[in-house]
Amino acid sequence: MDVTSPFLFLGRSPVKTTSLNQTHRDMNAKMVDFGGWDMPLHYGSQLDEHHQVRSDAGMFDVSHMLAVDIKGEVARAFFRRLIANNVDKLTQPGKALYTCMLNPRGGVIDDLIIYFLTESHFRMVVNAGTADKDMAWMLAQRDQLAPGLEIVPRRDLAMIAVQGPNGRAKVWQVIAGAQAATENLKLFQAVTYDKYFIARTGYTGEDGFEIMLPANDAAGFWHALHAAGVAPAGLGARDTLRLEAGMNLYGQDMDETTSPLESGLTWTVDLKSDRDFIGKQALLEMPVKQQLIGLILLERGVLRSHQKVATRYDGDEGTGEITSGGFSPTLNQSIALARLPLSVSPGDEVQVSVRDKMLRAKAVKYPFVRNGKSLV
């Protein structure tokens, strides 16, 4: 499909498509509606795709996420006010910063990555489901804080994540000359090479690259990666991989009603400097009563989001809820992230309501898996 036509009509509702939509269909992907986007769930076996990423290399179409270029002399000053993490950590071109954008109440509007390119050019990547909301919020803040600043959505770019222990080497097979430019790239750094913006970032707990390139070139690049032995992977494997890696999913583990301080994201919030960002005062005044902690199910069953969790404490202070849960293919057991009282510590046993039964689970420190190895 022409990349200038972002909708595929399925039934009555228009569904957005990436430039790789026909490529996924040609590879017999199981397609699903994901937040209004027609995306691949799997290409035959979600389990095989998961293990392929952990053991070798897999690739994900993440073009539904939105890259946004921020241009202007006041770009850094704009981010000092807009985001919870400190943009002044970004001093080296290509360096990336993970952060949250908060509302005045301290709730999470979105979690995102910002890349520093030059003092007058930053690039950010926001979630697909929040892209329209994020753009509206940023434009409104721009009008108040930095009139004249350019905020440019880049739907002309495709994004492909290549993840796994052999992912970088297989990218080097496909992009001639890229090894010299990216071999010494550190984690959370990016570089522009030819038509590619190559970042050593990811959402799987494995090494690899997230690569932006012109949308019209995405299909050819995808097929070249496949020929080099990179397996296509869908949303199903992406979710089990990120859960094992203990990585938050917006809309489940945090949203506009939850604080980053109770969502395992305190490390992304700068409360030490004098900088005043949107939501800072609310965070300073907000009592922190809960935490995000890992769970491993000790009995047969599957942990799912919204299941209630009971601790050894009575009353409301002894209850919590699973935010993300599922079966871990690497550990071969069910795991979860849960928002529980601060009184719960790793090693404690809790009970989870699963289909009207109370099943035993153990609290653990996450991540559960990194670089193919169990950490619990």
Side-chain angles (χ1 to χ4, degrees):
M1 174 172 287
D2 186 345
V3 297
T4 61
S5 302
F7 296 99
L8 173 69
F9 287 88
L10 300 177
R12 297 180 181 178
S13 301
V15 177
K16 298 176 184 178
T17 65
T18 75
S19 57
L20 288 168
N21 186 270
Q22 189 58 52
T23 302
H24 299 315
R25 293 176 174 277
D26 291 344
M27 298 182 82
N28 298 316
K30 168 68 175 177
M31 306 296 289
V32 295
D33 184 336
F34 180 72
W37 287 83
D38 190 46
M39 297 295 292
L41 179 64
H42 59 73
Y43 298 81
S45 171
Q46 174 181 329
L47 190 63
D48 288 348
E49 292 164 21
H50 178 106
H51 289 308
Q52 183 75 13
V53 172
R54 286 278 180 251
S55 63
D56 188 3
M59 58 184 173
F60 304 85
D61 177 13
V62 290
S63 305
H64 58 314
M65 301 180 73
L66 177 63
V68 184
D69 282 348
I70 313 294
K71 297 181 178 181
E73 297 304 319
V74 293
R76 186 180 290 274
F78 177 68
F79 281 123
R80 286 191 182 113
R81 175 70 175 152
L82 185 74
I83 62 172
N85 211 336
N86 194 342
V87 70
D88 290 336
K89 295 176 182 178
L90 300 180
T91 58
Q92 181 181 353
K95 182 63 178 171
L97 182 72
Y98 176 68
T99 185
C100 291
M101 194 161 55
L102 306 181
N103 60 32
R105 300 179 303 279
V108 182
I109 294 174
D110 198 9
D111 66 319
L112 51 96
I113 291 181
I114 297 174
Y115 299 94
F116 169 55
L117 305 182
T118 71
E119 275 301 321
S120 59
H121 186 188
F122 291 74
R123 174 170 291 175
M124 58 195 302
V125 178
V126 303
N127 284 302
T130 58
D132 291 343
K133 176 184 70 170
D134 291 354
M135 283 297 299
W137 175 257
M138 288 189 292
L139 290 171
Q141 301 309 312
R142 185 273 309 272
D143 292 344
Q144 293 184 31
L145 304 171
L149 188 69
E150 291 185 71
I151 300 179
V152 184
R154 298 296 306 274
R155 281 297 179 200
D156 59 311
L157 296 176
M159 286 184 272
I160 296 173
V162 182
Q163 303 281 288
N166 298 324
R168 291 199 302 152
K170 291 188 176 182
V171 168
W172 294 331
Q173 292 179 38
V174 173
I175 305 178
Q179 181 170 355
T182 62
E183 189 169 21
N184 295 320
L185 204 62
K186 295 180 181 179
L187 294 175
F188 264 69
Q189 284 188 331
V191 66
T192 298
Y193 177 78
D194 192 22
K195 63 186 176 183
Y196 305 95
F197 183 82
I198 306 172
R200 197 172 175 192
T201 53
Y203 193 52
T204 63
E206 297 296 328
D207 201 356
F209 293 132
E210 292 182 311
I211 302 165
M212 301 182 204
L213 73 162
N216 287 323
D217 296 327
F221 184 52
W222 184 273
H223 286 301
L225 289 168
H226 190 232
V230 183
L235 293 171
R238 186 169 165 82
D239 192 53
T240 53
L241 289 160
R242 72 92 193 167
L243 178 59
E244 288 185 347
M247 295 181 174
N248 291 45
L249 175 63
Y250 188 82
Q252 287 190 196
D253 303 305
M254 72 291 197
D255 57 28
E256 290 200 46
T257 69
T258 57
S259 159
L261 306 183
E262 294 188 333
S263 303
L265 296 172
T266 301
W267 63 278
T268 72
V269 179
D270 166 38
L271 293 175
K272 295 181 179 180
S273 71
D274 294 334
R275 180 182 62 96
D276 185 24
F277 59 86
I278 299 170
K280 180 179 182 178
Q281 192 59 38
L283 295 184
L284 291 172
E285 297 172 355
M286 184 183 301
V288 178
K289 298 181 178 180
Q290 294 181 308
Q291 62 181 322
L292 202 66
I293 196 167
L295 294 181
I296 292 181
L297 188 62
L298 300 177
E299 302 183 61
R300 293 186 62 181
V302 179
L303 301 177
R304 300 292 186 193
S305 59
H306 304 303
Q307 290 172 342
K308 301 300 180 182
V309 182
T311 75
R312 64 179 182 273
Y313 299 96
D314 295 329
D316 292 340
E317 293 183 357
T319 61
E321 185 176 271
I322 288 176
T323 57
S324 288
F327 178 76
S328 163
T330 304
L331 302 180
N332 197 34
Q333 59 189 135
S334 193
I335 61 174
L337 298 176
R339 190 170 285 110
L340 297 179
L342 296 177
S343 54
V344 177
S345 300
D348 288 353
E349 190 170 301
V350 300
Q351 290 189 318
V352 183
S353 178
V354 180
R355 294 187 176 182
D356 298 325
K357 293 182 179 180
M358 299 304 292
L359 302 184
R360 294 182 302 114
K362 183 174 70 172
V364 298
K365 184 178 179 180
Y366 63 87
F368 303 90
V369 178
R370 269 295 160 86
N371 297 320
K373 296 181 181 179
S374 170
L375 300 180
V376 295

